[in-house]
Amino acid sequence: MTQAFHRQRPLVLVACAWGLGIWAGAAGGPDVRVLWAGVVVGAALTALLWRTHTPVWGACAVAFFLAALYVLPAAHPSLPPVGKYMITARVNGIAEQRPEDGRIQTLLEQVTLTDDAGIQTRVASAYWTYFPEEGAPLPPDGQGVQFSGSVYHPAPQENPYGFDFRQYLLTKGVPIGISNVRELSFVPALQTEDADFWLRLRVALGDRIDGVMGDAAPVAKALLIGDRTDLSDETTTVFRDGGVAHVLAVSGLHVGLLMAGILYVLRKMHASPAVQLALVSVILLAYCRLLNFSAPVVRAAILTEVLLLGRLLRKSSDPLTTLAFAFVLVLLLRPMDLFSLGFQLSFLAVLGIALLGDRILYALQHLRARRMMWRTAQVYAVTVSATAFVAPPSIAAFHRFSLVGLLVGPIACAAVGLLMYGYIAVLVLSYLWLPLAQTLAVPVVLGTQWFLSLM
């Protein structure tokens, strides 16, 4: 006998309530006392419904109000007054120089603001822009800075098609901006490398890719380490207009391809399920850290871990429950990611595949006898189902949608898979025997050029 949805997949409902609670808390609503009252009422409702075997409705109420409370510090942080301060802080991450005006932009951490009265205010992070002296290098990660500057509160979205700068920064945990820099000094005065090991590793990998990939390096760096700074505007525009811009941003597709290759090698080596789980867990954790725990990568990592754990325990996993678990976990780590377009597209794509993809394939069961046609139907069923669910946020964000992506999407995904394996092979070989890697890079570069021309 089939159970009701709320009994079969209670975590899905709790995850929906958690997401709604984060949205409500970020939007601003009842005060903290009302939210805590909601948690208490929800807990009481859960206890009352326990014997009826439907406590999930009380758990949903608890999840909703707890999520609203949980997101409050991130969505509505305590802000220092706008004005001039003496500022000490450390550079956090990679600094970039705007080509249009030469201004440098980066994030600061461990920020201390001192006003004219000598009163100090500490802020965890800030967005910093300034005009450098001619010929001055970009400040590396971890370098200390001291200067006089102006604190401002980032502006929210001001029109229906405007960019919500405030929300963008809040998804990164940044509540304030700093500009109008004077009397700037660095501590130490000269720092030659980034302080963070993972950032240094990512930069080193990017430099190695530049050295062995040649013209294919911008695409290789985008697909492997999420660095899209060297992609030309023409390439970005072509992929966006073709409806396949997502293949250039590291997401579940890329993590899935990477893990599929690693698991293939481990199976050929006759590694046990326990060994596969252990090795893949270490690799996924390192890869997530390398890409700064971006939501699509974390989501893909969690789904992969659950799949391998189920294989080890010889139990099947429910796709919707697994997705709900990943959804809650990512928002526990970074609740404001709910408002990130990358987060939304990542989860909606998988949701579309889970809800619509199987139904499309069921309607095409008559093609099973023809292997090639069935494989093609599977690929396009995944593309159509994922595209259908990501269309609303894509249209809302970009005010456009390309139907061409339904046709070329599977081709682009297949090409990306082949190129990724080629890039990885060249990269690994470059550390073992550089001349062989450079030789192998020739067909990989040609394949990349052909792929870009095709797009």
Side-chain angles (χ1 to χ4, degrees), residues 62 101 103 121 193 203 238 268-269 274 309 332 374 394 396:
V62 173
D101 58 8
R103 183 179 299 182
T121 304
E193 65 177 12
V203 171
V238 165
K268 288 297 182 181
M269 295 172 62
L309 184 60
L332 275 171
W374 177 243
S394 297

Side-chain angles (χ1 to χ4, degrees), residues 48 435 454:
L48 289 173
L454 176 65

Side-chain angles (χ1 to χ4, degrees), residues 51-113:
R51 291 188 177 181
T52 68
H53 303 291
T54 56
V56 63
W57 303 116
C60 287
V62 173
F64 175 86
F65 289 107
L66 270 181
L69 284 166
Y70 186 68
V71 78
L72 286 179
H76 306 285
S78 177
L79 301 177
V82 171
K84 295 186 179 296
Y85 294 87
M86 287 300 300
I87 300 165
T88 60
R90 289 190 177 276
V91 176
N92 179 21
I94 298 178
E96 299 178 356
Q97 189 162 21
R98 297 178 183 175
E100 60 270 18
D101 58 8
R103 183 179 299 182
I104 291 178
Q105 59 183 11
T106 188
L107 298 181
L108 298 177
E109 63 180 357
Q110 301 175 20
V111 183
T112 300
L113 311 174

Side-chain angles (χ1 to χ4, degrees), residues 188-251:
L190 180 62
Q191 182 174 322
T192 57
E193 65 177 12
D194 296 308
D196 182 68
F197 165 78
W198 294 98
L199 183 55
R200 293 201 307 271
L201 177 59
R202 187 178 177 190
V203 171
L205 289 173
D207 292 341
R208 174 65 63 148
I209 292 172
D210 284 330
V212 296
M213 299 293 186
D215 293 339
V219 177
K221 289 193 293 185
L223 298 184
L224 295 182
I225 59 175
D227 182 0
R228 295 187 289 171
T229 55
D230 292 338
L231 287 174
S232 66
D233 293 338
E234 179 185 3
T235 298
T236 304
T237 301
V238 165
F239 277 76
R240 183 194 64 204
D241 292 346
V244 290
H246 60 280
V247 303
L248 294 178
V250 175
S251 63

Side-chain angles (χ1 to χ4, degrees), residues 11-34:
L11 185 58
V12 175
L13 298 179
V14 172
C16 292
W18 183 263
L20 287 172
I22 288 179
W23 175 82
D31 62 27
V32 174
R33 291 170 297 180
V34 174

